[in-house]
Amino acid sequence: MIRHGADPTSGATEAQSPPVTAGDPAPAAGFGARLTAPLLMGSLLNPLNTTMISTALVAIGHSFGIGAADTAWLISVLYLASAVAQPVLGKLADTLGPRRVFLAGLVVVIASGLVGALAPGFGTLIVSRLLLGIGTSAAYPAAMAVLRDESRRLGRPTPRPVLARLSFAALGSAAVGPALGGLLVSVVGWRGIFAVNVPIALLALGAALLWVPADPPRGAAAGGNVPKLSLDPLGTGLFTAALTVLVFFLLDLADPRWWLLAPFGVLTAALVRWQLRTPQPFIDIRMLANNGPLLRTYARHGLGYLLIYCVMYGFTQWLEEARGFSPGHTGLLMLPMSVTALVCSLLGARTKGLRGPLTLAALLLTVGAGILAFLSGDTPLAVLLLAGACFGAPQGLIGTSNQAAVQAHAPPESIGAAAGLQRTAQYIGAITASSLIALAYADGTSDAGLHLMAAVSVVLAVLLTVLTLTDRALRART
């Protein structure tokens, strides 16, 4: 485990990797296309499946004779599975080896895609989405751990452009998800959105088998300081149970089930107590308590994506139901958001610092939320496009910069679990955003509901700006 107070950016050189022999791959080949290609293919599956389902819900409901309240579980179950599985599989990547976890996750994706494509009933579809959430959650934390091991081998940090490609893959796949889903539903039916996972996962699996290096011995990979196996099943179970209860509470803030806070508090207290007592905890509470920069990164990431998801779902819903745009026209109106997110993801990778991109992102979120507060039925089209763009740029900057911050501040031997917790913060933000939207539109989608959501977003965006400007750890260059 990295020493408290040690330079968090020096993890790539603290533990010396074994000397390169004549039979080893040349160090210059590190971070090349062969290594990153399977990581990118695997990492795009989770965000792709979070958005691709949106254009298939109506068709699925008609096929099984169910309503929107039931089909919504296809969205919620993947968010829940992903929020829980990302740090769990990240921990497995740290202890068992990232290549093993990456490959196992792809096998689960293939199986879940087949289950969904052949599902005889709606319950089977729920199982398929649950498995998809688990299987696709392995790729990102395992990819971060693979890059960590490659960084050790080469004796230099992972380049920001490599991290940007991971962010770009997530943003790009999420952006094209609705369009791809609509195409598949139109051509082959809703089962196509499940079946499409199979060829993508097979390609990623074959490429990973060929090009991702075998896992080094975990003791050696962690500098000899961590036992080969330290899974902490009790800690993992307590974390999973506590987070599941929290997510179920957040899913319905319009009619809050306050009694769920009692078991959440008990499970959280038990988790903290156990993590402080066990020698190899699932979540190192002491490390997090002494690692303010990492905790603040999680807070910024979750809060930033809460605001972004409010626009993704709340603004688009207002465009369709209050302004009367068709789904196709709404997709076109949101195109500036997707394009600016992709462009800013690449631009953010070209900067050496973290404070500048994150501050700009927070300010743009504030401006964008302010614009939403004044929209109405006769707002010019250009203003609607500007509002989407104001939220697209932060999406790219936040994704890339916070990813680099996790790489810089997390203990090198725990980067998989740390990356998983980053995604957990993002999904909690998404789930909270959906509940805030439900509160704002409790009496129907209207200008007043949009303005209420925007007012809350302005307050949260100002808070995010303050958190960013006051974080001294962001002064460091990466």
Side-chain angles (χ1 to χ4, degrees), residues 242-328:
L243 187 58
T244 300
V245 172
L246 175 63
V247 168
F248 271 101
F249 174 77
L250 293 175
L251 281 173
D252 191 12
L253 290 180
D255 185 19
R257 288 166 284 189
W258 297 109
W259 63 269
L260 286 175
L261 295 180
F264 171 72
V266 171
L267 288 167
T268 301
L271 173 64
V272 172
R273 179 177 176 82
W274 173 250
Q275 298 302 274
L276 291 174
R277 293 178 59 185
T278 186
Q280 295 296 333
F282 168 64
I283 299 176
D284 193 338
I285 300 293
R286 289 189 176 88
M287 182 277 294
L288 287 175
N290 289 279
N291 196 334
L294 185 59
L295 283 177
R296 293 191 294 273
T297 298
Y298 293 151
R300 282 196 313 272
H301 197 70
L303 185 55
Y305 270 92
L306 188 159
L307 295 167
I308 291 167
Y309 279 112
C310 275
V311 172
M312 276 190 179
Y313 301 125
F315 182 41
T316 53
Q317 188 172 335
W318 177 82
L319 288 172
E320 289 189 35
E321 298 189 15
R323 283 294 298 260
F325 288 107
S326 68

Side-chain angles (χ1 to χ4, degrees), residues 213-438:
D215 295 319
R218 302 324 293 163
N225 295 325
V226 176
K228 182 178 180 180
L229 188 64
S230 54
L231 295 181
D232 185 19
L234 179 57
T236 303
L238 288 171
F239 171 82
T240 301
L243 187 58
T244 300
V245 172
L246 175 63
V247 168
F248 271 101
F249 174 77
L250 293 175
L251 281 173
D252 191 12
L253 290 180
D255 185 19
R257 288 166 284 189
W258 297 109
W259 63 269
L260 286 175
L261 295 180
F264 171 72
V266 171
L267 288 167
T268 301
L271 173 64
V272 172
R273 179 177 176 82
W274 173 250
Q275 298 302 274
L276 291 174
R277 293 178 59 185
T278 186
Q280 295 296 333
F282 168 64
I283 299 176
D284 193 338
I285 300 293
R286 289 189 176 88
M287 182 277 294
L288 287 175
N290 289 279
N291 196 334
L294 185 59
L295 283 177
R296 293 191 294 273
T297 298
Y298 293 151
R300 282 196 313 272
H301 197 70
L303 185 55
Y305 270 92
L306 188 159
L307 295 167
I308 291 167
Y309 279 112
C310 275
V311 172
M312 276 190 179
Y313 301 125
F315 182 41
T316 53
Q317 188 172 335
W318 177 82
L319 288 172
E320 289 189 35
E321 298 189 15
R323 283 294 298 260
F325 288 107
S326 68
H329 288 155
T330 299
L332 290 175
L333 284 171
M334 297 305 292
L335 188 60
M337 179 176 178
S338 301
V339 172
T340 53
L342 295 174
V343 171
C344 288
S345 176
L346 297 178
L347 292 178
R350 301 178 68 88
T351 63
K352 296 295 184 181
L354 297 174
R355 170 171 287 189
L358 288 172
T359 300
L360 177 61
L363 292 174
L364 286 173
L365 287 173
T366 306
V367 172
I371 294 175
L372 294 183
F374 293 96
L375 297 184
S376 64
D378 56 357
T379 300
L381 183 62
V383 178
L384 301 180
L385 294 171
L386 176 62
C390 283
F391 283 86
Q395 189 177 0
L397 296 173
I398 287 173
T400 302
S401 300
N402 283 332
Q403 188 172 257
V406 170
Q407 187 85 2
H409 298 305
E413 69 277 5
S414 302
I415 190 65
L421 286 172
Q422 179 196 0
R423 286 293 180 89
T424 296
Q426 178 175 328
Y427 284 122
I428 289 177
I431 293 166
T432 306
S434 66
S435 294
L436 288 176
I437 294 167

Side-chain angles (χ1 to χ4, degrees), residues 456-478:
V456 174
S457 296
V458 168
V459 174
L460 295 177
V462 171
L463 175 60
L464 178 62
T465 304
V466 173
L467 288 175
T468 303
L469 290 174
T470 57
D471 190 349
R472 296 183 178 180
L474 294 178
R475 295 177 181 176
R477 292 165 66 87
T478 59

